[in-house]
């Protein structure tokens, strides 16, 4: 499953963490808005990803939503 980052435009992208917990260490770079990532694991609203396109860490954990904001959304499969 592919996801596109739709949040964080005003901050240069969304926060990526090393682990599933929101208390785990934050990576030094953000995952850019409009980046596309592949889902490795989804636990609640926490997504373990591998980056496919765009800038940011190659792998990590992001929140798909935060409070009332959507940060990442599933990409419809094309040609499937």
């Amino acid at each position: 499953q592919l996801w596109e980052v739709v949040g964080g435009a005003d901050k240069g992208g969304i926060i990526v963490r090393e682990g599933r917990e929101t208390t785990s260490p934050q990576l030094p770079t953000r995952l850019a808005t409009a980046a596309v990532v592949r889902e490795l694991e989804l636990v609640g609203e926490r997504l373990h990803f591998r980056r496919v396109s765009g800038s940011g860490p190659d792998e990590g954990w992001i929140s798909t939503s935060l409070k009332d904001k959507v940060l990442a959304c599933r990409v419809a499969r094309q040609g499937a």
Side-chain angles (χ1 to χ4, degrees), residues 2-3 13 38 42 45 48 52 54-55 58-59 62 78:
L2 296 179
W3 292 72
R38 182 173 308 282
L42 183 64
E45 294 183 342
H48 185 201
V52 174
S55 62
D58 290 337
E59 192 172 320
I62 59 171
Q78 296 175 342

Side-chain angles (χ1 to χ4, degrees), residues 6-49:
V6 295
D10 56 336
K11 296 183 177 72
I14 62 175
I15 291 173
V16 179
R17 296 192 181 273
E18 288 180 8
R20 183 176 76 194
E21 297 77 22
T22 55
T23 54
S24 70
Q26 183 177 325
L27 297 180
T29 56
R30 288 176 176 247
L31 187 59
T33 304
V36 175
V37 298
R38 182 173 308 282
E39 176 183 320
L40 300 178
E41 185 179 0
L42 183 64
V43 182
E45 294 183 342
R46 298 290 291 162
L47 175 67
H48 185 201
F49 73 89

